[in-house]
Amino acid sequence: MSERVLVIKMNLLPWYNELDDRLEVYHPTFPEAVRQRIQTFGEFRIISINRLQTRIRRIPEKA
């Protein structure tokens, strides 16, 4: 099974928590369309984040 990568071409830095290396997707001002896409994508880890795009990789479920 290959790992999937999701590229979001949007500045998500305002919702990035550097201490936990997490996106605050449940913050009230987080874009709803992006929140839904990330929730559909599943559990993830951030590959890279900058002002132009965010790249996340799905964490595979263990059997």
Side-chain angles (χ1 to χ4, degrees), residues 46-58:
I46 298 171
I47 299 172
S48 65
I49 186 168
N50 62 44
R51 64 182 180 84
L52 300 176
Q53 70 179 13
T54 301
R55 298 172 64 86
I56 61 176
R57 176 171 284 134
R58 183 181 344 195

Side-chain angles (χ1 to χ4, degrees), residues 9-56:
K9 296 194 177 210
M10 182 176 192
N11 182 2
L12 298 180
L13 284 172
W15 300 280
Y16 176 59
N17 183 332
E18 290 182 69
L19 296 175
D20 297 329
D21 194 32
R22 308 277 294 158
L23 283 172
E24 302 291 342
V25 295
Y26 296 108
H27 191 278
T29 61
F30 195 86
E32 184 63 32
V34 177
R35 178 185 298 126
Q36 290 175 358
R37 181 66 182 115
I38 289 173
Q39 288 174 334
T40 302
F41 188 67
E43 193 173 348
F44 66 91
R45 68 178 177 87
I46 298 171
I47 299 172
S48 65
I49 186 168
N50 62 44
R51 64 182 180 84
L52 300 176
Q53 70 179 13
T54 301
R55 298 172 64 86
I56 61 176

